[in-house]
Amino acid sequence: MVAVAALMWPDGSGTFDDTDGTRDTSPSPSRHTATDALPASWTGTWKGAGPGSSSGDGVVNSPTTQVSVPLTLHTARPGDIAGRQVSHITDAGSGRDIGCTETLRLAETHTTTMVFEAATSTPTDPSAGVLCVRGNVYTLTKTGADTLTLGDEGGQAAGAPSRLTRSS
C-alpha cells in the first residue's frame, strides 16, 4: 500500500516535491481571474443621501434627520480591500454625527452586483461614543453608468440612501 500526502502552505504557495521531499516554490496559479475583479467602471467616488429615520427608540436606535454616504472604491479582487465608506448620520436630538467609517473588503463579484464586507469599522466622530461593528455586508448593483443601488439586506442604517451616484 502506498500513501500519498499533499500539503499546502498557509499562503497557498507550494507543496512538497514527490521525489526528494523539498518544498516546491514555483508560483501557484492565481485563484482569481480578471473577471473576478472589481471592474474599473466601479472605481472612484460615489455619494448618496437619505432622509434618516424618525422611528428610532432613543435607546438602542436614535431618531435621525439625515444620512449621507461617500463611498470610494478602487480595483480589487475578492478578499482584498476595495475601498471605504463614511456614514454621516445626524442624530435628531443632539445633532451629532453617529455614523461609522468602514474599510470594505470585496467579498463576491457577479456581473452587475458586488458584495462588500466591512473589514474595519470605527465611529466617524470618535467623540460621539458610538459602537461600530465590523462584518456588516453591503450588496451594490450597478444600475447605470453612474449609479449604484444598495440592496435592502445589508447593514445600513434606517433612512440610508438606497442609491449612490458617481461624484465628479
Side-chain angles (χ1 to χ4, degrees):
M1 177 194 249
V2 175
V4 177
L7 300 173
M8 291 299 290
W9 296 103
D11 65 0
S13 66
T15 60
F16 280 101
D17 182 295
D18 63 3
T19 57
D20 64 3
T22 60
R23 184 173 177 197
D24 176 5
T25 58
S26 61
S28 61
S30 173
R31 290 182 216 152
H32 303 289
T33 65
T35 58
D36 289 343
L38 184 70
S41 64
W42 284 67
T43 63
T45 301
W46 305 80
K47 293 183 180 180
S53 174
S54 61
S55 66
D57 61 14
V59 178
V60 175
N61 296 307
S62 297
T64 58
T65 58
Q66 68 181 32
V67 179
S68 66
V69 178
L71 167 68
T72 305
L73 296 174
H74 56 82
T75 56
R77 296 194 183 284
D80 292 344
I81 298 300
R84 180 174 102 135
Q85 73 88 18
V86 180
S87 294
H88 296 287
I89 303 173
T90 305
D91 179 80
S94 67
R96 295 181 92 165
D97 187 341
I98 57 172
C100 296
T101 297
E102 297 173 318
T103 302
L104 301 176
R105 176 177 288 118
L106 182 60
E108 297 176 26
T109 63
H110 305 282
T111 306
T112 59
T113 300
M114 303 293 160
V115 179
F116 300 91
E117 180 182 5
T120 66
S121 187
T122 59
T124 300
D125 175 1
S127 70
V130 175
L131 177 62
C132 298
V133 296
R134 66 186 186 138
N136 287 329
V137 175
Y138 304 98
T139 301
L140 291 168
T141 301
K142 194 147 194 256
T143 54
D146 295 323
T147 307
L148 299 176
T149 302
L150 182 62
D152 291 334
E153 75 286 348
Q156 63 270 18
S162 59
R163 193 177 85 188
L164 303 171
T165 55
R166 189 180 301 278
S167 178
S168 356

